[in-house]
Structures are given as structure tokens and as C-alpha cells.
Amino acid sequence: MIDGPYFVLTVLGVLGTGLVAGVFCGFSTFVMRGLAELPPAQGVAAMNSINRTAVTPAFMTVFMGSAVLCAVIGVVTFVLWPEKGTAELLIGSALYLFGSLGVTLVANVPRNNALLGLAAGSPEATAYWPSYVRGWTLWNHVRTVASAGAALAYVLALA
């Protein structure tokens, strides 16, 4: 079993990646569906408001703090190559760093920025809204599964 500071890092990794998975799951299962049911102007305005207010210290500490923690766990695991949990720790770190942080940076944030550049009631926003919801939600599903998978991998490393 993993012990000492390495144990603490892994438990914190479970907690952080699990919390992020929960946020993403909420968006995938009901927030985006609720926004999609609104008229486009209202949906765009609501999502733009969410995107502007999501960058709070609390959420960013959990989201980016988990990324830093996963990177540390991955590097320490690669360097120390422990007898137990090595594969699980490396898989958990990769899932979060690529499937959560990476997807956020290359798929969700560019969509958010494009939406933020559109006036809520404009014809462009109305035309973009359905494809935004589909694409953003699809990639958010990926982030959800990757973050949950990271948490599971870290739990398995502790077993």
C-alpha cells in the first residue's frame, strides 16, 4: 500500500479529480439540457454569464490545483516507480491532464470564447447556439469520464 506523503498526495488526487468530475457531470446531465431548452438568446446569455463567473478562486483552485497535483503525482511516480500502484497512478494522472485539462483547453474554452464574442440576441448567436450546445456537451462528457476515471484510478492505486 502507498504510504506517507505519497498517500496524502493520492488521497488529495482522488478528492480533487472527483470534485471536478462532479461539476462536469452536473453540467452534462442537467445544466446544459436546461440551457438548451431556453430560447437561444436566453441560453446564450445564461451560458455567457456562467462562463464569466466560473473562473472563481474556489473552482479554479480545485480545477487547476488538481491538474498540478496530477502532474506532481505523475512525475513522482515516474521517477520513483513504486512497487504498487504505478500503472494506476500514471493512468489517473494522464486521464486528468489530457482528458480533463487538455480537453478543456482545446475544446471547451475555444467554444466559450466564441460564444462570449456573440451578442445574445444576434442572428449569429441564434445560429451558433445549437451547435455550441452539442459540441460543448459532447466534450464535457469526455471531461466527466476522464475526471471520474482519474479518481477511480487513484482509488485503485490506494487499494
Side-chain angles (χ1 to χ4, degrees):
M1 178 183 228
I2 297 170
D3 60 359
Y6 210 25
F7 175 82
V8 173
L9 286 175
T10 306
V11 169
L12 290 174
V14 170
L15 181 60
T17 59
L19 285 170
V20 172
V23 170
F24 291 159
C25 182
F27 267 85
S28 280
T29 58
F30 59 87
V31 172
M32 293 308 290
R33 294 178 84 187
L35 292 175
E37 290 181 7
L38 294 172
Q42 291 176 0
V44 169
M47 190 65 188
N48 278 341
S49 180
I50 290 168
N51 287 334
R52 280 190 300 273
T53 59
V55 187
T56 63
F59 177 70
M60 293 309 290
T61 298
V62 173
F63 180 65
M64 293 305 293
S66 294
V68 170
L69 189 57
C70 289
V72 168
I73 291 170
V75 168
V76 169
T77 300
F78 190 77
V79 170
L80 296 180
W81 211 264
E83 287 183 33
K84 296 182 181 186
T86 301
E88 293 88 348
L89 292 168
L90 292 174
I91 289 168
S93 294
L95 279 170
Y96 191 82
L97 292 170
F98 294 104
S100 183
L101 178 64
V103 167
T104 297
L105 296 175
V106 302
N108 293 89
V109 169
R111 284 174 170 79
N112 293 345
N113 291 340
L115 192 69
L116 280 167
L118 301 173
S122 71
E124 296 82 12
T126 300
Y128 181 56
W129 180 242
S131 84
Y132 171 87
V133 170
R134 278 190 308 277
W136 193 96
T137 304
L138 171 71
W139 286 109
N140 194 64
H141 292 337
V142 172
R143 298 189 307 171
T144 301
V145 170
S147 298
L152 177 60
Y154 287 156
V155 166
L156 293 173
L158 292 170

